[in-house]
Amino acid sequence: MGAVPPESAVGRLVLAATPLGHARDASARLIDAIATADVIAAEDTRRLRTLAAALGVGITGKVVSHYDAVEAARLPALLDDVRAGRTVLLVTDAGMPAVSDPGFRIVAAAAAEGLPVTCLPGPSAVTTALVLSGLPCERFCFDGFAPRRAGERRRWLETLVGESRAVVFFESPHRLAETLAAAVEVLGADRGAAVCRELTKKHEEVLRGPLAELAAWAEEGPVRGEITVVLAAAAPSTAPSVASLVGAVHERVADGERLKSAVSAVAEAAGVPKRDLYAAALVTKE
């Protein structure tokens, strides 16, 4: 735990949530922070200036870019600013910094030094999608972006077969149809879900229903905009059959994994006996 420097010697790091699409969702505290921060680190400096103009607020501090490719390089100078007594405001294009966006590294580094860090809460695509999904969401987990590669995506979906919480994830509109089709295969056609598109924006759209219906809609395409998907929790009484999991085992083996390891991973995720799945995999292999 880092020692906290004297209060007079340091400034602070402020993470602030920005509107998902509608500028009027900005909090009064965010408006004040944009106007008064000594330094603003923005994922896209042009979008920051567009937001400031929409809010009618002038930027008086220094503006620096802070996106994935430069996040590590910007870290030393931003920490120096905080140490020197300046207020550094960190914003991303939309929603909360560090949630599938830049921000984690500087928070961890500032916290390790005991530098003051605070947050201005606000819009989040995760919680917005959850409440609009119409699905039970007393307990949920967030999985960031779905894996891009087919094999990795299938293995990720396999871990959700018996998931007892609602699951929220982001997906590119160009890969949505493929991901939903894979979800139908792994999670079942009747698993409840919601696809939330362009949240809070002019063309906001929320589609709710079983995965099979949503996959068919996405296949018709084209799908545009920013996508957040919510999956319903698995029904407690539904357990996949051993036979339905054999294909997943063989896919993992085809990717280079040992049969026993593949069986163990799939069986554990699905909650079925490893011995039964191993026997079924051997039979179909022969």
Side-chain angles (χ1 to χ4, degrees):
M1 180 176 178
V4 179
E7 185 68 26
S8 60
V10 297
R12 62 176 181 160
L13 171 65
V14 181
L15 283 78
T18 53
L20 303 178
H22 202 303
R24 290 173 62 186
D25 288 337
S27 69
R29 295 178 68 196
L30 172 62
I31 294 171
D32 181 65
I34 292 174
T36 60
D38 299 298
V39 180
I40 304 180
E43 185 177 12
D44 186 326
T45 58
R46 292 168 299 181
R47 293 187 66 164
L48 166 67
R49 296 187 188 282
T50 298
L51 174 61
L55 297 174
V57 58
I59 298 174
T60 58
K62 179 176 66 174
V63 175
V64 297
S65 59
H66 189 264
Y67 52 94
D68 287 332
V70 301
E71 185 178 8
R74 291 279 189 266
L75 184 59
L78 292 175
L79 291 178
D80 282 345
D81 283 324
V82 176
R83 295 188 197 100
R86 303 182 183 95
T87 295
V88 175
L89 176 66
L90 178 65
V91 296
T92 53
D93 290 347
M96 183 64 71
V99 180
S100 287
D101 272 327
F104 162 74
R105 290 181 178 86
I106 190 169
V107 173
E113 285 192 37
L115 297 173
V117 182
T118 191
C119 177
L120 307 184
S124 167
V126 176
T127 51
T128 302
L130 275 168
V131 298
L132 289 178
S133 71
L135 298 168
C137 57
E138 291 84 0
R139 299 176 65 241
F140 71 91
C141 58
F142 172 59
D143 266 12
F145 279 90
R148 294 189 177 196
R149 297 182 178 180
E152 293 177 2
R153 180 168 56 235
R154 188 179 186 94
R155 286 191 284 274
W156 164 67
L157 287 168
E158 288 165 4
T159 69
L160 305 180
V161 170
E163 177 55 66
S164 61
R165 300 166 293 180
V167 181
V168 187
F169 65 91
F170 298 149
E171 183 54 290
S172 160
H174 310 296
R175 292 190 296 273
L176 181 65
E178 188 177 352
T179 295
L180 291 179
V184 169
E185 292 180 11
V186 178
L187 303 178
D190 296 329
R191 184 83 163 250
V195 174
C196 306
R197 189 179 72 84
E198 294 290 87
L199 289 171
T200 77
K201 300 177 184 177
K202 180 179 180 180
H203 299 293
E204 176 180 280
E205 183 178 25
V206 180
L207 295 101
R208 309 172 183 88
L211 277 171
E213 290 183 9
L214 297 177
W217 165 80
E219 184 63 32
E220 292 176 0
V223 179
R224 296 188 175 88
E226 296 185 350
I227 305 293
T228 306
V229 180
V230 184
L231 295 173
S237 59
T238 56
S241 67
V242 168
S244 70
L245 299 171
V246 170
V249 171
H250 289 318
E251 280 196 15
R252 296 176 77 115
V253 171
D255 287 342
E257 192 170 352
R258 293 171 61 88
L259 178 61
K260 286 187 177 180
S261 174
V263 166
S264 179
V266 174
E268 185 175 346
V272 301
K274 296 178 185 178
R275 179 187 301 176
D276 294 348
L277 183 55
Y278 186 75
L282 282 179
V283 170
T284 55
K285 182 180 179 182
E286 294 171 359

